[in-house]
Amino acid sequence: MKTSLPESEVAELKEHFELFDLQSEGFIPVRDLGDVVRGYGVNLTESSLKHAIEKYDNGKNQIMFADFVDFMARKMTDPGLNEEDILDSFSVFDKDKNGLVNAQELKHVLAKMGEFMSASEVDSILADADIDKNGNIKYKAFVKKLNELYDLFT
């Protein structure tokens, strides 16, 4: 099995995987994937979980061990930004679930949460946003534009 993880890490993943592979058949039910991943200490959004199931389900509602290792290697070796997680973060502020976030609310959140950002840094980021007449940003387009400008998701 080719992986970017050291053998010792793959061995630990196997031990953990086997806690859920009760019949030692080399697979787990797709419904258990979230619990297996989170149980190993890796954060996983529902969107990311859904995407993983779509990608790794073998057609029988099963995730094979080799596919689990591939998924975990990606999650563990690429802790950086990914578009799904950023979009999930924006969706928290999308109260009407219409793909829009209020620019002023976003400005406040960027300035007050996470790493400290000065007002000029926040303004610089929002300068790349298309803000409509109601003061809202279409956040999917905004994230895409930020990625094009700054190559966030490599």
Side-chain angles (χ1 to χ4, degrees):
M1 170 183 327
K2 272 189 126 175
T3 178
S4 60
L5 298 175
E7 283 184 38
S8 60
E9 189 76 43
V10 174
E12 286 182 32
L13 284 171
K14 185 159 184 60
E15 282 182 37
H16 185 71
F17 186 88
E18 288 173 345
L19 294 173
F20 294 82
D21 180 12
L22 301 177
Q23 305 301 318
S24 299
E25 296 174 309
F27 67 83
I28 57 169
V30 293
R31 71 178 178 275
D32 290 346
L33 182 60
D35 293 335
V36 176
V37 172
R38 290 181 185 113
Y40 199 73
V42 175
N43 290 326
L44 187 65
T45 65
E46 287 304 312
S47 175
S48 183
L49 175 61
K50 182 180 175 189
H51 179 71
I53 290 172
E54 289 170 0
K55 180 175 182 177
Y56 294 109
D57 182 349
N58 68 0
K60 300 176 185 175
N61 291 322
Q62 301 167 338
I63 305 294
M64 305 305 294
F65 177 68
D67 293 328
F68 171 71
V69 170
D70 181 64
F71 176 68
M72 292 298 284
R74 292 171 192 269
K75 282 294 187 189
M76 293 165 60
T77 60
D78 183 17
L81 297 174
N82 72 60
E83 192 169 0
E84 285 177 28
D85 291 342
I86 299 298
L87 290 173
D88 283 349
S89 297
F90 274 100
S91 72
V92 170
F93 302 100
D94 182 6
K95 295 177 180 89
D96 298 326
K97 303 298 179 211
N98 59 4
L100 301 172
V101 293
N102 180 273
Q104 287 303 315
E105 183 177 356
L106 181 58
K107 185 175 183 175
H108 175 76
V109 168
L110 289 173
K112 301 294 182 195
M113 296 181 80
E115 284 191 40
F116 174 77
M117 294 180 76
S118 68
S120 63
E121 289 173 315
V122 172
D123 289 341
S124 176
I125 290 172
L126 291 180
D128 295 319
D130 293 324
I131 301 173
D132 69 17
K133 64 182 179 184
N134 296 319
N136 294 315
I137 299 169
K138 291 182 182 176
Y139 62 88
K140 287 181 183 176
F142 179 55
V143 169
K144 183 176 178 150
K145 189 174 195 178
L146 287 175
N147 186 41
E148 289 168 1
L149 293 170
Y150 303 109
D151 197 26
L152 299 175
F153 316 118
T154 54

